[in-house]
Amino acid sequence: MRRDDVRNIAIIAHVDHGKTTLVDCLLRQSGEFRESQLRGDCILDSNELERERGITILAKNIALPYAGRKINIIDTPGHADFGGEVERVLRMADGALVLVDAAEGPMPQTRFVLSKALECKLKPIVVVNKIDRPEARPHEVVDEVLDLFIDLGIDDEELDFPYIFASARDGFATEDPEVPGDSIHPLLDLVVEHIPGPEVEAEEPLQMLVTTLDWSEYVGRIAVGRIMAGSITRGQQVAMIGRDATRQEKITQLYVFDKLGRAEVDTASAGDIVALVGLEKVEIGDTICDVEAERPLPRLDVDPPTIEMVFRTNTSPLVGREGKYVTSRNLRDRLIKELERNVALRVAPIEGTESFAVSGRGLLHLSVLIETMRREGYELAIGKPRVITRVRDGVHEEPFETLVVEVPPEQTGPVMELVGARRGQTIDVTTRGNFTHLVFSIPARGLIGLRTRLLNATQGQAIIHHRFESYRPLEGEIEQRANGVLVSMTGGKAVAFGLDGLQDRAELFVGPGDEIYEGMIVGENSRGNDMVVNPSKEKKLTNMRASGSDRNILLKPPRQLTLETALEYIAEDELAEVTPTKIRLRKILLS
Ligand code: GTP
């Protein structure tokens, strides 16, 4: 049975193609809001509202009343997928708005989310936005989207997807880009007409898959998902079928999407997307059901973490303490808070120290966290990334990942070479239209440093995703040394990293404008080896000069490194087991 009073749709858009503006426009034109609620550029960023409700508003999730129906709009993460989030979120929807800039056309990064949406059988509606731009080429862009669908292997009969032109900025949608409209309603009409209402089993016992977790300091853990069968009532005792056990808890509060956030309700039924409070032990992937009728849905697990780094408060006297948060307690509280929403992350205190082992889905995942904390004002010392191995039945095992790389066909050579050199095995190569889709199986340690290299080798065109595959017996040894990396707030924005445990303690400070902090010096010692010397060690410098090695003293600034790249360089030394770190450091500086 299908419900006709609800539509659940996801928005898929490349960064800057206008998602926020479109959602804003939809809200304004739904006429449900007082101007006071709409103040500011963006309705969705209102912290006040969050406080008022005592419950966090999920990024861009909203609900609109339209033509007697409720349209739930689900935001999809636009960035890399950490732990399978995109797929889980898409499972809640029946259709997708594919938003494309009328001048830029569809971007390669949109492909991944779009292909996942099509795998989940979502009905797409293409919205060609920004048609007011002088550079807009609306009809061409529709053709480009059509090509994209063909590239993704859509059959001819399914290619007949609806599309519409819009200017979210000017607040209209229109079927003819030459004739601007006066409202966004044509888009909503298309949604109601083309996207099916949710398929439900209203009369069956309750079934709901937990797809996302949220958290608020007022109510604690919040389980979000779509009810597939039956209904839920506030105060109800429910069973949560977990991976290993089934637990029971009581739902103390029940919310549905509502306009800018969530509204508390007494009951919700199949087809609704709900947020449940009171389930302290719930995990992503659990099925929530009646205590008398346990019917598990197929599990959608979060990929396990594969890379670990040690975090501690940065106490290096060389780096200084200019951040706002400098105590171990600050660090602990912040990491615990992060855990509530960053579901693919794990944090464990390291006994007898003030450090924490933080593990995640890869370097990108962890560097996003470090970068966020750095901007918030945390002083951090970060250990080298290491791969999480395990021992099962006496066998040492390491994680393998399924790596998907998409590139223009002429660039498959360099990609296969780079991945092959890291023990990646080719599983599948398919070329459709303008893109070749390569699938590999690769040890997680081989992914470290790979992203930057793939991007360099393909002029930035490679699109890279990876999902956990399995643990497999370890081949060879992974040497894991414990040198440290420092990430500091010195100078407000600077990233600094350095190395302990070398013959000389060395510190490198890279400023936001590529400048080196503290007059860093690199040269050769008397035996001709590369050295990195702390400038405070004057005697050593004098000796170096005396031995005639000042011709090698560094004069060039290093090229700008992103935090992720810096971490990659440092981690690679360890994992490649070849390059002494100090030489690598010199290469960074001189390249
Ligand atoms: P992120 O929040 O970075 O993911 O971007 P987004 O996709 O939400 O895009 P956003 O709505 O922030 O819009 C990006 C830029 O495009 C902003 O400067 C908008 O003002 C502009 N923009 C959005 N819609 C339109 C439009 O219809 N016409 C024009 N000319 N500009 C638009």
Side-chain angles (χ1 to χ4, degrees):
M1 190 189 110
R2 285 204 181 266
R3 259 176 86 171
D4 189 41
D5 62 328
V6 172
R7 295 291 185 277
N8 292 321
I9 56 174
I11 299 197
I12 296 172
H14 186 61
V15 178
D16 266 3
H17 283 196
K19 182 158 67 178
T20 310
T21 313
L22 179 69
V23 170
D24 218 59
C25 162
L26 289 169
L27 284 169
R28 282 170 199 272
Q29 292 195 21
S30 76
E32 287 281 317
F33 305 97
R34 281 173 283 118
E35 231 1 81
S36 64
Q37 283 175 288
L38 300 178
R39 112 188 62 102
D41 289 338
C42 175
I43 298 171
L44 299 164
D45 289 344
S46 170
N47 288 328
E48 250 175 52
L49 255 166
E50 265 189 46
R51 255 180 269 126
E52 255 173 49
R53 285 169 193 259
I55 188 161
T56 318
I57 299 163
L58 268 181
K60 290 174 181 130
N61 294 339
I62 56 157
L64 290 175
Y66 185 74
R69 292 159 181 102
K70 180 174 170 181
I71 301 177
N72 290 318
I73 301 181
I74 307 161
D75 190 24
T76 52
H79 54 70
D81 185 38
F82 300 127
E85 194 184 353
V86 169
E87 278 168 81
R88 287 196 310 274
V89 166
L90 291 174
R91 297 282 175 122
M92 296 196 285
D94 297 297
L97 294 185
V98 183
L99 194 62
V100 181
D101 186 308
E104 285 189 17
M107 302 301 272
Q109 289 86 343
T110 314
R111 287 170 55 93
F112 174 77
V113 184
L114 183 58
S115 68
K116 292 291 165 205
L118 297 174
E119 272 171 32
C120 293
K121 306 262 178 273
L122 305 197
K123 287 265 178 284
I125 292 180
V126 173
V127 184
V128 177
N129 187 36
K130 306 199 190 182
I131 57 162
D132 59 276
R133 284 180 68 173
E135 323 85 294
R137 33 185 201 94
H139 295 294
E140 269 173 68
V141 167
V142 170
D143 286 344
E144 289 171 14
V145 177
L146 196 67
D147 288 344
L148 179 59
F149 278 87
I150 295 170
D151 283 2
L152 290 172
I154 300 302
D155 298 339
D156 282 354
E157 62 268 26
E158 290 175 35
L159 264 180
D160 186 20
F161 57 86
Y163 59 86
I164 195 160
F165 303 95
S167 168
R169 189 195 68 180
D170 298 345
F172 68 84
T174 171
E175 278 173 21
D176 181 352
E178 314 304 326
V179 186
D182 53 14
S183 93
I184 201 74
H185 290 184
L187 170 58
L188 292 170
D189 292 334
L190 214 53
V191 168
V192 171
E193 190 186 332
H194 282 276
I195 294 183
E199 177 72 41
V200 296
E201 296 180 298
E203 306 306 322
E204 297 295 316
L206 168 65
Q207 257 187 331
M208 168 185 152
L209 188 68
V210 177
T211 34
T212 316
L213 288 182
D214 198 358
W215 183 85
S216 118
E217 60 181 294
Y218 303 97
V219 298
R221 190 165 265 212
I222 302 165
V224 180
R226 168 164 156 181
I227 306 179
M228 309 304 272
S231 60
I232 294 187
T233 314
R234 186 206 331 223
Q236 185 177 348
Q237 182 83 6
V238 291
M240 298 170 286
I241 307 179
R243 196 177 312 106
D244 310 314
T246 298
R247 302 181 177 87
Q248 289 195 6
E249 275 180 305
K250 192 164 151 176
I251 292 165
T252 55
Q253 291 171 41
L254 174 63
Y255 292 83
V256 292
F257 280 21
D258 177 54
K259 296 168 194 161
L260 307 179
R262 296 172 182 159
E264 195 168 0
V265 290
D266 289 329
T267 176
S269 53
D272 288 331
I273 295 172
V274 294
L276 309 177
V277 173
L279 309 180
E280 291 296 315
K281 302 191 189 94
V282 72
E283 297 289 349
I284 284 182
D286 288 2
T287 302
I288 294 184
C289 46
D290 285 347
V291 286
E292 301 91 31
E294 292 183 10
R295 300 191 304 153
L297 290 161
R299 252 194 112 74
L300 274 182
D301 276 319
V302 180
D303 288 350
T306 53
I307 300 286
E308 177 186 280
M309 288 165 88
V310 174
F311 281 41
R312 68 174 161 76
T313 303
N314 182 10
T315 48
S316 164
L318 270 174
V319 170
R321 287 174 155 232
E322 293 180 25
K324 268 196 292 185
Y325 304 110
V326 296
T327 69
S328 305
R329 173 104 201 226
N330 294 151
L331 178 61
R332 193 198 63 189
D333 291 352
R334 177 65 179 80
L335 288 174
I336 288 173
K337 187 171 141 220
E338 184 70 22
L339 275 184
E340 296 291 348
R341 281 200 206 118
N342 197 336
V343 295
L345 198 78
R346 304 272 185 286
V347 175
I350 301 174
E351 219 175 297
T353 72
E354 305 223 307
S355 304
F356 296 85
V358 180
S359 38
R361 289 288 307 137
L363 272 193
L364 184 60
H365 185 202
L366 291 175
S367 53
V368 168
L369 172 63
I370 295 168
E371 184 62 25
T372 309
M373 291 178 67
R374 197 173 70 73
R375 285 185 194 183
E376 289 169 4
Y378 284 83
E379 284 280 355
L380 296 176
I382 308 289
K384 274 194 185 183
R386 55 174 283 273
V387 167
I388 301 172
T389 55
R390 70 176 193 187
V391 181
R392 277 289 151 96
D393 303 325
V395 177
H396 287 265
E397 294 181 330
E398 67 174 317
F400 272 67
E401 303 260 320
T402 302
L403 169 71
V404 177
V405 184
E406 296 196 309
V407 283
E410 64 275 12
Q411 290 174 341
T412 51
V415 171
M416 297 191 70
E417 209 171 290
L418 277 169
V419 176
R422 287 147 182 271
R423 295 203 296 133
Q425 282 176 345
T426 311
I427 309 281
D428 187 38
V429 180
T430 325
T431 300
R432 281 208 202 92
N434 301 325
F435 269 85
T436 299
H437 182 92
L438 300 117
V439 183
F440 304 95
S441 171
I442 185 170
R445 61 172 145 151
L447 290 176
I448 294 178
L450 185 60
R451 178 181 297 271
T452 308
R453 276 156 198 254
L454 284 175
L455 289 173
N456 286 344
T458 61
Q459 290 84 50
Q461 295 198 65
I463 300 150
I464 306 150
H465 290 277
H466 58 94
R467 290 289 311 267
F468 177 74
E469 184 192 290
S470 62
Y471 268 90
R472 297 209 212 151
L474 186 63
E475 281 176 34
E477 293 263 305
I478 299 185
E479 193 196 339
Q480 319 230 41
R481 277 177 278 134
N483 290 341
V485 183
L486 296 179
V487 179
S488 165
M489 261 51 57
T490 306
K493 283 194 200 143
V495 176
F497 57 97
L499 312 153
D500 290 325
L502 294 182
Q503 184 181 351
D504 294 310
R505 182 188 165 84
E507 302 258 355
L508 166 65
F509 298 77
V510 184
D514 288 357
E515 74 277 22
I516 308 165
Y517 273 46
E518 311 279 299
M520 191 65 224
I521 292 179
V522 177
E524 267 174 17
N525 68 11
S526 52
R527 290 184 299 282
N529 295 328
D530 292 317
M531 293 200 77
V532 184
V533 181
N534 181 335
S536 65
K537 296 221 169 117
E538 263 186 45
K539 194 161 161 228
K540 189 142 244 157
L541 287 178
T542 314
N543 289 343
M544 277 172 66
R545 292 215 168 87
S547 69
S549 64
D550 38 336
R551 66 198 148 87
N552 286 320
I553 287 176
L554 176 80
L555 294 170
K556 277 195 209 164
R559 66 190 174 89
Q560 187 155 19
L561 300 175
T562 64
L563 181 61
E564 190 198 358
T565 314
L567 294 174
E568 282 177 353
Y569 276 118
I570 299 230
E572 266 189 347
D573 284 331
E574 176 174 297
L575 299 171
E577 301 175 21
V578 278
T579 326
T581 321
K582 53 187 177 179
I583 293 178
R584 170 73 68 185
L585 194 55
R586 180 160 183 257
K587 275 200 195 134
I588 296 174
L589 289 169
L590 297 176
S591 60

